[in-house]
């Protein structure tokens, strides 16, 4: 048995089996030869030294040295070997002995074989049958393994090759093996017992327990909570220290601490505007638009200011607008009188028009 | 604990307990387990369905639930808009991996700096999923004004040119402060996220009471971070115990999963994992029930594994 186990069966070939058969046959023949040899064995046991030589069929001389044994003389004498001097008349015996030599040599060579050969040789017919059954079982397992792979994998040029090469996605095809995790509810690792409501999953066994909540129980819990928790949605948010308005229900007031990091009661946002912003679907958002328009206006204003800056002022006409000194007050009064008279429409000379009385042009009025 | 609302085979299976309880409730319907992977869920209710995801206690998984259910709805073919209603602390964009694409928020829309469609961030992989953040950190919004703003937002989303979205999910901030009041203002239904521990349950009960006072009656529960091994060892309340305490229908049961942390770090929702994580599958199922306005009819309780026989090696 141990010899069989030591033999590695890697491929479903019959070579090991044939080898076993050969060895068995040989061992069987060896058994027969041993029995025959046993008849010769008592010769050395009796102290006989048998030296045999054979060379190419020559007549050889065999000498048997007889040694005295401590035994019954009569029995020893009876069992004494007869020294024979070969001659031509006993050619058959010589052949027989030749065969014996061959057998002896073969037996030695068999003995020098690895260990596993000896137990096979010693196996009886029954043990060998058991070993044969084990080998047959292993062959069947190997053959089943090949069959499980499927003929499509072996068939060259099939669609499976395309899937293997990545040209086709296996999870989108109906004929390929679907990915197990695409269908988690049909997982082969989940075993449902047919006798009772248990499920085996991931090495654990689970039992289905029905939910016992009824509508009545649910109603009971709702009533309990309505009695326990009285709450009104707060509609007024006040900072600490603010007075409560008279028309506000105190239960709807929410007090916000002043140092709350993410809370503020100040509403800087126009609610109507905010609502409009939320409902806006197209166009530029309001704030961006407003900023853009403000920027636009500012640019226009700047441009207008630059235009004003580029205007040229006549120095001669500028003197008209200069403030006169006090010593010239009388002359100014005379000039004012002249001015109060209807004007002829012609432009007066600069000397006639004092600068203090004529209204300044707009460009000089506004710096 | 995972809800096996869908088991095997495309046929309808009825799981009836062999030994009925001593006092079987009359109104209990038989447990149905339908395989739902081969059909699209049927949308129930009026669109858009405005759902607020709240909890009361912080850190139970509201933002994770919002992100995963939102992406699950998009995968199922429904259009969804997720609104991060936390004025001061914004996290939903991190879970979705969209933090670098948020340029405008609702505050900018209100101020007129941008339009509403410019503030919506569309997911590149799932084009029918959009994110809208209320504000950037360190920005202030007038209190009491946020509720009105959300109402305008929902109304504007209903009337937009490409049509109203099927779902508007509002990620509510923790607590029952102004942020909570703002977030629940436009909602028609609520998903309450809780964990099986007493502190979370107490806060969840309080929040449920406030929601009912505000007029929201359709409230369903998701029990998050469930440890079946601790429930089996009676160190943690079971899902049925939680339901008995709160009295709310179950939308989903999410098991404790380390993939949640990894998905947060990656900015990749858990439901998109391949192969799927257990928590991701649970979120998918919860999204399914949300679409059909259904609730769980049975939960899974862990039991001792059966002893393997001699022939179990051969697949018996």
């Amino acid at each position: 048995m141990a010899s069989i186990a030591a033999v590695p069966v890697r491929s479903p070939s019959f070579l090991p089996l044939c080898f076993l058969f050969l060895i068995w046959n040989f061992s069987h023949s060896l058994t027969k030869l041993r029995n025959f040899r046993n008849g010769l064995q008592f010769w050395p046991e009796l102290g006989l030294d048998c030296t045999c030589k054979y060379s190419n069929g020559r007549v050889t001389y065999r000498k048997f040295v007889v040694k005295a044994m401590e035994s019954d003389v009569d029995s020893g004498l009876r069992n004494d070997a007869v020294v024979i001097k070969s001659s031509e008349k006993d050619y058959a015996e010589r052949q027989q002995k030749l065969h014996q030599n061959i057998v002896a040599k073969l037996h030695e060579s068999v003995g020098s074989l690895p260990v596993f050969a000896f137990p096979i040789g010693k196996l009886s017919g029954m043990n060998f049958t058991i070993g044969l059954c084990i080998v047959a079982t292993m062959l069947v397992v190997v053959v089943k393994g090949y069959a499980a792979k499927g003929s499509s994998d072996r068939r060259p040029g099939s669609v499976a090759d395309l899937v293997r090469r990545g040209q086709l996605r296996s999870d989108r095809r109906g004929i390929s093996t679907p990915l197990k995790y695409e269908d988690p509810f049909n997982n082969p690792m989940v075993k449902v017992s047919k006798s009772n409501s248990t499920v085996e999953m991931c090495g654990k066994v689970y039992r289905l327990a029905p939910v016992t909540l009824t509508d009545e129980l649910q109603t009971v819990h709702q009533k309990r909570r309505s009695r326990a928790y009285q709450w009104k949605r707060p509609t007024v948010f006040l900072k600490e220290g603010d007075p409560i308005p008279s028309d506000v229900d105190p239960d709807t007031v929410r007090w916000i601490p002043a140092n709350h990091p993410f809370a503020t009661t100040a509403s800087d946002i126009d609610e109507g505007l905010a609502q409009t912003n939320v409902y806006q679907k197209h166009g530029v958002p309001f704030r961006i638009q407003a900023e853009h328009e403000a920027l636009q206006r500012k640019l226009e204003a700047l441009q207008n200011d630059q235009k004003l800056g580029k205007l040229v002022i006549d120095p001669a006409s500028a003197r008209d607008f200069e403030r006169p000194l006090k010593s010239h007050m009388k002359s100014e009064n005379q000039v004012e009188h002249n001015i109060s008279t209807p004007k002829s429409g012609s432009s007066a000379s600069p000397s006639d028009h004092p600068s203090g009385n004529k209204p300044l042009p707009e460009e000089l009025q506004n710096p | 604990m995972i809800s096996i609302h869908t088991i095997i085979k495309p046929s309808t299976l009825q799981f009836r307990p062999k030994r009925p309880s001593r006092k079987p409730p009359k109104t209990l319907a038989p447990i149905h387990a339908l395989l739902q992977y081969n059909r699209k869920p049927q949308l129930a209710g009026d669109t858009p369905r405005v759902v607020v995801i709240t909890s009361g206690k912080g850190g139970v998984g509201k933002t994770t639930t919002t992100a995963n259910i939102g992406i699950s709805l998009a995968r199922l073919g429904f259009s969804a808009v997720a609104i991060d209603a936390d004025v001061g602390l914004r996290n939903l964009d991190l879970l979705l991996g969209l933090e670098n694409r948020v340029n405008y928020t609702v505050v900018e829309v209100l101020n007129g700096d941008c339009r509403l469609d410019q503030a919506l961030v569309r997911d590149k992989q799932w084009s029918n999923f959009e994110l809208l953040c209320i504000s950037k950190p360190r920005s202030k919004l007038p209190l009491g004004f946020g509720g009105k703003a959300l109402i305008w937002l929902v109304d504007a989303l209903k009337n937009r040119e490409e049509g109203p979205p099927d779902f508007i999910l509002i990620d509510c901030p923790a607590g029952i402060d102004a942020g909570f009041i703002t977030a629940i203002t436009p909602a028609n239904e609520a998903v309450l996220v809780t964990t099986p521990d007493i502190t979370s349950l107490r806060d969840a009960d309080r929040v449920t009471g406030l929601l009912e006072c505000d007029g929201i009656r359709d409230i369903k529960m998701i029990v998050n971070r469930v440890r079946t091994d601790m429930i089996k060892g009676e160190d943690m309340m079971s899902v049925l115990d939680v339901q008995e305490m709160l009295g709310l229908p179950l939308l989903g049961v999410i098991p404790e999963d380390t993939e949640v942390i990894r998905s947060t770090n990656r900015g990749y929702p858990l439901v998109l994992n391949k192969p799927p994580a257990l928590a991701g599958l649970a979120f998918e199922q919860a999204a399914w029930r949300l679409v059909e306005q259904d609730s769980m009819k049975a939960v899974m309780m862990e039991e001792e594994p059966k002893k393997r026989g001699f022939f179990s090696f051969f697949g018996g």
Side-chain angles (χ1 to χ4, degrees):
Chain A
M1 288 303 167
S3 63
I4 294 171
V7 174
V9 181
R10 292 182 181 181
S11 60
S13 65
F14 290 96
L15 287 175
L17 190 60
C18 295
F19 182 67
L20 290 174
F21 266 116
L22 283 171
I23 290 173
W24 180 80
N25 287 327
F26 188 67
S27 64
H28 188 66
S29 60
L30 277 179
T31 307
K32 291 180 183 174
L33 290 171
R34 194 184 298 118
N35 293 333
F36 183 71
R37 188 170 176 268
N38 287 334
L40 302 171
Q41 276 183 348
F42 72 90
W43 293 47
E45 288 168 3
L46 295 170
L48 296 174
D49 182 20
C50 175
T51 59
C52 304
K53 284 185 183 178
Y54 172 71
S55 81
N56 297 328
R58 285 189 200 171
V59 175
T60 56
Y61 289 91
R62 287 183 293 273
K63 273 188 179 179
F64 291 94
V65 177
V66 178
K67 294 180 183 176
M69 298 292 289
E70 291 180 359
S71 59
D72 189 8
V73 178
D74 293 335
S75 62
L77 286 174
R78 253 185 267 124
N79 292 329
D80 280 345
V82 177
V83 178
I84 301 170
K85 197 171 182 180
S86 64
S87 63
E88 293 175 352
K89 71 174 183 181
D90 205 357
Y91 178 75
E93 289 183 0
R94 266 189 279 127
Q95 289 293 328
Q96 190 179 1
K97 285 173 187 174
L98 186 66
H99 284 299
Q100 291 170 9
N101 293 337
I102 294 170
V103 166
K105 284 182 182 175
L106 202 56
H107 191 72
E108 286 173 8
S109 64
V110 169
S112 66
L113 282 175
V115 179
F116 69 88
F118 274 106
I120 291 171
K122 294 179 182 175
L123 282 175
S124 63
M126 177 65 91
N127 289 339
F128 179 75
T129 307
I130 294 171
L132 186 63
C133 290
I134 291 171
V135 169
T137 306
M138 290 168 69
L139 285 173
V140 167
V141 167
V142 169
V143 168
K144 269 190 177 178
Y146 270 103
K149 281 185 183 179
S151 61
S152 62
D153 291 339
R154 292 185 175 180
R155 194 174 71 241
S158 64
V159 178
D161 287 332
L162 284 173
V163 175
R164 217 177 294 120
R165 286 164 53 193
Q167 299 295 331
L168 284 178
R169 279 189 59 172
S170 60
D171 57 342
R172 287 178 181 173
R173 301 189 64 250
I175 60 175
S176 64
T177 307
L179 296 170
K180 286 181 184 176
Y181 53 78
E182 287 291 336
D183 182 9
F185 304 113
N186 198 17
N187 197 323
M189 290 189 291
V190 177
K191 297 174 189 175
V192 179
S193 136
K194 293 177 183 177
S195 58
N196 52 1
S197 57
T198 57
V199 178
E200 186 181 336
M201 191 165 58
C202 301
K204 297 181 182 177
V205 178
Y206 297 91
R207 176 179 57 86
L208 278 176
V211 161
T212 57
L213 183 72
T214 60
D215 294 336
E216 295 163 355
L217 281 171
Q218 215 167 333
T219 310
V220 166
H221 279 281
Q222 284 173 0
K223 286 180 182 174
R224 174 186 61 80
R225 281 190 287 262
S226 65
R227 286 192 298 268
Y229 308 114
Q230 301 289 333
W231 178 74
K232 285 183 183 177
R233 170 175 281 275
T235 54
V236 177
F237 294 86
L238 300 173
K239 282 183 183 173
E240 286 179 354
D242 290 347
I244 301 174
S246 57
D247 56 341
V248 171
D249 185 3
D251 291 336
T252 61
V253 174
R254 190 81 180 197
W255 298 100
I256 305 301
N259 59 349
H260 197 289
F262 300 115
T264 174
T265 55
S267 179
D268 300 327
I269 306 170
D270 181 8
E271 287 193 11
L273 183 61
Q275 189 173 4
T276 308
N277 292 337
V278 170
Y279 285 111
Q280 185 178 6
K281 292 179 187 176
H282 304 287
V284 181
F286 172 78
R287 191 168 185 171
I288 306 295
Q289 183 77 17
E291 285 179 356
H292 178 75
E293 288 173 0
L295 192 64
Q296 206 66 1
R297 282 196 296 271
K298 192 171 182 181
L299 280 173
E300 285 173 4
L302 282 173
Q303 283 172 2
N304 291 335
D305 292 340
Q306 284 174 1
K307 282 179 187 175
L308 288 171
K310 286 178 184 175
L311 284 174
V312 177
I313 300 172
D314 188 4
S317 62
R319 281 190 219 137
D320 294 337
F321 304 102
E322 287 177 359
R323 286 179 177 272
L325 296 172
K326 285 185 181 178
S327 56
H328 297 286
M329 284 300 290
K330 284 186 180 179
S331 60
E332 286 175 2
N333 290 332
Q334 290 176 0
V335 171
E336 283 179 0
H337 180 68
N338 292 331
I339 289 171
S340 64
T341 58
K343 294 176 184 178
S344 58
S346 59
S347 58
S349 60
S351 60
D352 295 333
H353 293 279
S355 62
N357 295 324
K358 192 175 181 181
L360 293 173
E362 290 183 0
E363 290 84 353
L364 295 177
Q365 278 179 357
N366 297 324
Chain B
M1 194 178 301
I2 298 189
S3 60
I4 295 292
H5 195 68
T6 62
I7 308 292
I8 56 167
K9 306 291 182 184
S11 58
T12 305
L13 297 175
Q14 286 195 356
F15 280 86
R16 295 178 184 273
K18 280 191 173 179
R19 293 180 183 178
S21 55
R22 290 179 183 177
K23 295 180 182 179
K26 294 178 183 178
T27 57
L28 266 186
I31 301 168
H32 290 276
L34 299 172
L35 186 63
Q36 299 180 34
Y37 79 99
N38 56 353
R39 68 172 181 89
K40 186 178 173 180
Q42 293 181 353
L43 182 60
D46 300 326
T47 55
R49 288 181 52 189
V50 187
V51 183
V52 62
I53 297 169
T54 181
S55 69
K57 189 171 184 296
V60 298
K62 295 182 294 298
T63 307
T64 305
T65 301
T66 308
N68 284 283
I69 287 187
I71 292 290
S72 297
L73 292 171
R75 282 180 76 182
L76 290 169
F78 299 100
S79 55
V81 174
I83 301 177
D84 189 352
D86 198 337
V87 176
L89 305 170
R90 197 176 73 194
N91 292 315
L92 187 57
D93 55 335
L94 284 172
L95 262 70
L96 295 167
L98 300 173
E99 66 270 18
N100 294 327
R101 296 180 55 203
V102 177
N103 297 317
Y104 297 113
T105 64
V106 171
V107 172
E108 278 82 22
V109 176
L110 293 170
N111 291 335
D113 291 330
C114 70
R115 297 191 306 270
L116 178 59
D117 60 302
Q118 291 172 322
L120 286 166
V121 181
R122 193 180 294 271
D123 191 275
K124 288 182 179 176
Q125 189 178 3
W126 306 101
S127 58
N128 50 348
F129 180 81
E130 291 166 293
L131 170 67
L132 180 65
C133 298
I134 290 282
S135 68
K136 292 178 182 173
R138 296 188 298 274
S139 64
K140 292 188 178 182
L141 193 69
L143 289 171
F145 185 69
K148 292 179 194 174
L150 269 184
I151 291 174
W152 297 336
L153 280 172
V154 169
D155 201 34
L157 287 170
K158 280 183 194 176
N159 298 320
R160 63 179 184 176
E161 287 182 346
E162 56 262 39
D166 295 319
F167 287 89
I168 298 175
L169 305 177
I170 303 174
D171 183 21
C172 182
I176 50 175
D177 209 341
F180 168 78
I181 298 167
T182 299
I184 69 171
T185 306
N188 302 323
E189 41 188 295
V191 172
L192 189 75
V193 182
T194 183
T195 53
D197 63 280
I198 191 66
T199 54
S200 175
L201 289 178
R202 178 194 276 184
D203 295 347
D205 192 59
R206 179 79 185 270
V207 164
T208 307
L210 300 180
L211 289 170
E212 287 169 349
C213 288
D214 203 41
I216 299 173
R217 294 288 170 175
D218 186 357
I219 306 170
K220 291 192 176 65
M221 177 173 65
I222 285 182
V223 184
N224 197 13
R225 307 188 71 173
V226 171
R227 291 272 305 268
T228 54
D229 55 339
M230 290 186 70
I231 292 171
K232 190 174 73 170
E234 296 190 354
D235 291 326
M236 182 183 273
M237 279 190 282
S238 70
V239 176
L240 295 180
D241 294 334
V242 170
Q243 192 176 43
E244 191 180 338
M245 289 184 71
L246 293 180
L248 295 172
L250 268 174
L251 189 68
V253 177
I254 316 298
E256 178 82 66
D257 199 336
T258 52
E259 282 298 321
V260 173
I261 304 293
R262 294 197 191 100
S263 69
T264 305
N265 295 336
R266 287 161 54 195
Y268 197 69
L270 191 64
V271 292
L272 299 177
N273 279 18
K274 282 187 177 180
L278 291 178
L281 290 176
F283 277 123
E284 289 267 9
Q285 294 183 15
W288 191 288
R289 292 188 200 97
L290 181 68
V291 171
E292 297 200 331
Q293 286 188 327
D294 192 13
S295 63
M296 289 174 65
K297 301 296 184 286
V299 296
M300 299 230 303
M301 309 283 289
E302 187 176 341
E303 286 192 336
E304 289 296 329
K306 60 181 179 182
K307 294 178 182 177
R308 289 178 167 269
F310 178 75
F311 295 102
S312 63
F313 175 76
F314 297 101

